[in-house]
Amino acid sequence: MTRILSLMMLIGVSFITQAQDTLARRASYIGLDVINSLPSVIFSKGYYIRNSAIIEPYYLLDLKKPGRKLYLGAGFATGSTHQYVDSDPSQAFRGTYVRAAYEVRRLRSTRRIIYGGYGPVIAIAGYDGKFRFKGPTFGDYEGRFKETNNVALGVEAYFGFDFKLANNWLLRLTFRNVMGRRTKADTYVQYFPGFGYTPAGFNNRFLYSGGLSLQIHYKIR
């Protein structure tokens, strides 16, 4: 655990160093993800999370080197998952997370840019739910669990496209993969804020998920 925290601190220091180079930056944007919560509301009976609120603001700024950006994000998520199998019913979750990334960009046209990036993700979450085991003779066995302040550390890699909507507006379509490790894993968690849904069958401590993000950014400088 000490080694993991030391590594995350070193990564954080490197991003702070990058941020110091932004004194000569050309532009900066603030943004908000506009798609994360929609599927859970529109497809509440079929999506893997239901009626969930996920808020993700972002800050994107140019570095001194052309075609390089620093990408900072935060998030809050609360909601519940669907039941998947008889022994693993739905779980309620709540958590916050932060992410940072070093981004490389390439101009493809006057209105479109392709980019890729990587960086650390840190999340803290709590969740509760119940479990059930079918009893062939004397009925089912049910129990409940609850965990709070569960920390996860990970790394995210992504790529995507920027579309210029207007002089000060930017639309970002991002495809991401994130993997990490929970510091405590007494039970399997179906959805971990900041990391997403991890299919059953993995080690309880290991988190891996892919996702899609659609963001609107406004140029503030």
Side-chain angles (χ1 to χ4, degrees):
M1 178 62 187
T2 302
R3 292 180 180 178
I4 295 176
L5 291 176
S6 298
L7 177 60
M8 297 302 293
M9 290 179 63
L10 288 174
I11 295 174
V13 169
S14 69
F15 278 103
I16 292 174
T17 302
Q18 293 284 355
Q20 292 175 347
D21 291 337
T22 61
L23 294 176
R25 63 182 179 267
R26 296 187 300 272
S28 61
Y29 294 80
I30 55 172
L32 185 68
D33 190 287
V34 295
I35 196 175
N36 264 338
S37 296
L38 293 181
S40 71
V41 176
I42 298 174
F43 307 107
S44 60
K45 295 183 179 180
Y47 201 57
Y48 65 88
I49 56 176
R50 55 187 172 189
N51 297 323
S52 299
I54 303 174
I55 303 172
E56 286 189 3
Y58 288 95
Y59 184 41
L60 179 67
L61 50 89
D62 286 356
L63 297 178
K64 184 176 181 180
K65 187 175 181 179
R68 304 295 189 270
K69 286 185 178 290
L70 184 65
Y71 192 46
L72 304 174
F76 171 78
T78 180
S80 62
T81 58
H82 278 288
Q83 178 176 329
Y84 287 94
V85 295
D86 290 336
S87 61
D88 222 1
S90 62
Q91 301 174 357
F93 60 84
R94 177 187 294 264
T96 58
Y97 47 93
V98 294
R99 51 169 45 101
Y102 177 70
E103 186 172 299
V104 179
R105 301 160 63 82
R106 292 289 183 269
L107 181 66
R108 292 303 182 191
S109 70
T110 57
R111 308 292 295 183
R112 180 168 60 87
I113 298 173
I114 186 172
Y115 58 84
Y118 64 92
V121 180
I122 304 175
I124 181 169
Y127 46 90
D128 64 82
K130 62 181 180 180
F131 55 86
R132 181 192 308 117
F133 297 99
K134 285 188 175 182
T137 305
F138 300 104
D140 297 346
Y141 173 77
E142 292 189 358
R144 298 197 65 87
F145 68 90
K146 184 175 183 179
E147 291 190 18
T148 58
N149 300 325
N150 198 219
V151 178
L153 309 175
V155 176
E156 179 183 63
Y158 64 88
F159 74 94
F161 301 92
D162 279 352
F163 301 91
K164 292 184 179 180
L165 302 180
N167 289 336
N168 294 325
W169 291 94
L170 196 67
L171 180 68
R172 287 173 60 91
L173 175 63
T174 301
F175 302 89
R176 55 168 47 128
N177 278 283
V178 58
M179 62 177 61
R181 178 179 173 87
R182 295 164 59 198
T183 58
K184 181 181 179 183
D186 293 337
T187 56
Y188 165 67
V189 57
Q190 296 170 357
Y191 180 90
F192 202 99
F195 287 83
Y197 166 65
T198 299
F202 286 96
N203 183 291
N204 283 351
R205 287 190 180 275
F206 181 69
L207 299 170
Y208 174 80
S209 184
L212 172 68
S213 178
L214 184 65
Q215 304 158 20
I216 292 288
H217 284 251
Y218 178 73
K219 186 177 180 180
I220 58 175
R221 176 172 177 173

